[in-house]
Amino acid sequence: MLNIIETIMDAMKSQSDQDKDQPLHVGEVMACWIYLSGLELAKVSVQAGINTTSDEELKAILEEDMKLGNSQRQRLHDFLIKEGVPLPTAPEDMPKSDSNDIPLGVKLTDDVLANELSLKIVSLIMQAAGAASESIRTDVGLMFIQFQAEKFAFATRLKHLMRKRGWIRVPPFYHPPGTQI
């Protein structure tokens, strides 16, 4: 069985020994750039959700995602600047507004807000997994593994709220031919 602690230690040693002067390859740059772009777009969507919902639990989970996104955005921003990579453009922050001022034809439901957030989280988890697996530099791989773990931990809390509220979308169950239902 693979010892996870030993693997992490080996990766850390590898980072300090082998990656000192190695530049990012184009795939690593692209992965960082796309992930940061995704975080930037998710930011304004989450801000709009915070402005839209009157559900305090959903607002708290959206604010938690905003904090996590800000943390990941800052780490990735600093990393890309240090590596000399131009940053993607970022949309302007959404102004704060009162959810009661949003017309009903425009206002998204809490169900839609939660499922939209869930899809964004899944997309970023998949991006991070792909980036980690394609990275040559250990620091890049570890950064994306950390991003993935943070998003996964957040996703479990979001899923709990969605189940509690009946917002989770479940595809039809598959029963192979010949099985008893």
Side-chain angles (χ1 to χ4, degrees), residues 41-164:
L41 291 172
K43 175 184 71 171
V44 294
S45 179
V46 170
Q47 289 171 336
I50 291 169
N51 288 341
T52 300
T53 188
S54 56
D55 182 300
E56 290 305 317
E57 280 186 284
L58 180 57
K59 187 176 282 193
I61 211 104
L62 287 164
E63 288 169 350
E64 182 183 347
D65 182 65
M66 181 64 69
K67 286 178 189 168
L68 177 57
N70 287 340
S71 170
Q72 289 187 354
R73 236 183 344 277
Q74 189 61 54
R75 286 180 278 165
L76 197 48
H77 178 274
D78 293 347
F79 177 77
L80 289 173
I81 293 293
K82 181 179 80 95
E83 294 294 328
V85 177
L87 301 174
T89 57
E92 295 291 322
D93 285 348
M94 299 289 278
K96 291 189 184 225
S97 64
D98 184 346
S99 67
N100 296 321
D101 294 340
I102 300 171
L104 291 178
V106 176
K107 189 174 186 173
L108 298 175
T109 65
D110 293 340
D111 176 309
V112 169
L113 291 172
N115 276 283
E116 181 182 43
L117 178 60
S118 178
L119 287 173
K120 285 181 184 79
I121 297 302
V122 167
S123 173
L124 287 169
I125 287 171
M126 292 171 61
Q127 277 293 133
S133 68
E134 295 169 355
S135 295
I136 303 296
R137 279 187 34 181
T138 306
D139 59 339
V140 176
L142 289 174
M143 178 176 61
F144 278 109
I145 288 169
Q146 185 177 21
F147 288 172
Q148 184 182 20
E150 291 168 354
K151 289 290 185 183
F152 185 73
F154 173 77
T156 59
R157 291 189 293 285
L158 175 60
K159 183 169 68 170
H160 174 73
L161 175 64
M162 291 175 70
R163 278 194 171 151
K164 176 180 164 185

